[in-house]
Amino acid sequence: MRAWICVTCGTQFTPLPSPPDACPICADERQYVGHGGQRWTTLEDLRRTHRNAWQRLEPGLMGIGTEPRFAIGQRALLVRTPAGNILWDCIALLDDATIDIIRALGGLRAIAISHPHYYTTMVEWARAFDAPVLLHAADREWVMRPDERIEFWDGETRDLGGGATLIRCGGHFAGGTVLHWADGADGRGALLTGDIIQVVPDRRWVSFLRSYPNLIPLDAASVRRVAAVVEPYAFDRIYGAWWDMHVMEDARNAVARSAARYVAALEGGADAAP
């Protein structure tokens, strides 16, 4: 019995004698099956060929990413709050070095994940640190490895304590979630967004899509909702899903003007965008 991991998205499945026929997350229109067809690996095999790199992004915030790049290639964030450490989003590789470093930093109080593309080996992380995995209930169907440590939450927000709040934005997925970290950016606030709010190469702006690899746009109502639900929060910075994909200042205004530009392009053509 092996807990198979999809090579394209990094999702780990309930242990089986042989790999599943397909990965439902990759078969969905928001993702894709790799050009070589459905392929599988395991955590044990991944540990032989990859390692995790760390980067201090600001006081209280560490990035953790796998090298060489694996699956979607996102990096996780370790948020240190007065109420304990939170792992934001998840990566497939969990090795002994990563466990030792996180334990030395105080372990994990909770794991919170923005959407199903980053569920990866969340059960392995939860068991290693005896921490709950907080997922929005609207995305329950996308859990490929159920476990008692997975906790589904309902509603629009969840206060994690220590100045950290989960906010349901929807959009990319019905339960798409971002994390507001009040102490981030020297107390001006930071928003950790995965790709629910996607930081783009021109980092004065962000964007919103139903599918990033397949370039399927998000409808105007959903974009307006994403902007509206984060508007009440103070944040000067956004940390996206990849290394260096950050809006370092004026992030709250960046979301508002980006949403307006996106909606204008949908409703009136590109020339109507501000």
Side-chain angles (χ1 to χ4, degrees):
M1 302 287 280
R2 307 180 77 184
W4 300 95
I5 295 174
C6 173
V7 170
T8 302
C9 74
T11 299
Q12 187 182 53
F13 285 63
T14 297
L16 294 169
S18 58
D21 292 335
C23 172
I25 291 175
C26 289
D28 178 70
E29 68 176 2
R30 284 163 286 199
Q31 184 53 12
Y32 63 94
V33 177
H35 293 295
Q38 181 67 62
R39 295 188 296 131
W40 303 94
T41 187
T42 64
L43 184 54
E44 293 73 23
D45 289 341
L46 197 59
R47 286 169 174 163
R48 296 187 185 101
T49 56
H50 291 69
R51 69 180 184 90
N52 284 336
W54 290 69
Q55 183 180 356
R56 181 181 182 270
L57 301 174
E58 66 169 81
L61 188 68
M62 303 284 286
I64 316 167
T66 299
E67 297 181 345
R69 178 186 171 112
F70 176 73
I72 294 173
Q74 78 278 4
R75 56 98 185 89
L77 293 169
L78 181 69
V79 187
R80 308 191 70 189
T81 81
N85 296 334
I86 299 167
L87 184 74
W88 170 249
D89 279 333
C90 201
I91 54 176
L93 178 59
L94 178 64
D95 57 14
D96 290 341
T98 303
I99 292 172
D100 288 347
I101 292 169
I102 292 178
R103 285 179 177 167
L105 292 171
L108 295 179
R109 178 169 61 88
I111 299 164
I113 305 179
S114 60
H115 71 292
H117 289 154
Y118 301 158
Y119 286 177
T120 64
T121 58
M122 59 184 175
V123 172
E124 304 283 352
W125 288 79
R127 292 178 177 181
F129 299 104
D130 192 24
V133 180
L134 306 178
L135 307 179
H136 198 277
D139 291 336
R140 182 190 298 265
E141 67 181 289
W142 299 105
V143 173
M144 299 296 129
R145 188 180 182 186
D147 189 86
E148 62 183 6
R149 290 172 179 81
I150 296 173
E151 182 179 335
F152 295 101
W153 62 281
D154 289 294
E156 303 309 310
T157 63
R158 175 156 174 166
D159 185 355
L160 302 183
T165 305
L166 297 177
I167 308 166
R168 176 181 173 253
C169 291
H172 186 39
F173 273 80
T177 300
V178 300
L179 175 66
H180 181 253
W181 177 36
D183 291 339
D186 298 320
R188 299 187 304 277
L191 208 60
L192 284 52
T193 64
D195 56 11
I196 303 303
I197 298 174
Q198 175 78 289
V199 179
V200 296
D202 182 347
R203 293 171 205 171
R204 298 170 300 168
W205 300 84
V206 297
S207 195
F208 321 83
L209 290 177
R210 175 170 173 79
S211 169
Y212 292 97
N214 300 320
L215 302 179
I216 303 173
L218 199 59
D219 63 278
S222 294
V223 173
R224 288 191 179 103
R225 172 188 159 78
V226 172
V229 297
V230 300
E231 193 276 334
Y233 294 86
F235 60 96
D236 194 48
R237 192 168 293 168
I238 291 175
Y239 289 100
W242 286 272
W243 296 117
D244 299 325
M245 296 303 284
H246 310 145
V247 178
M248 296 304 293
E249 61 184 10
D250 198 32
R252 189 165 173 272
N253 287 328
V255 172
R257 65 175 176 263
S258 297
R261 179 175 76 169
Y262 191 106
V263 170
L266 284 178
E267 296 183 340
D271 291 340

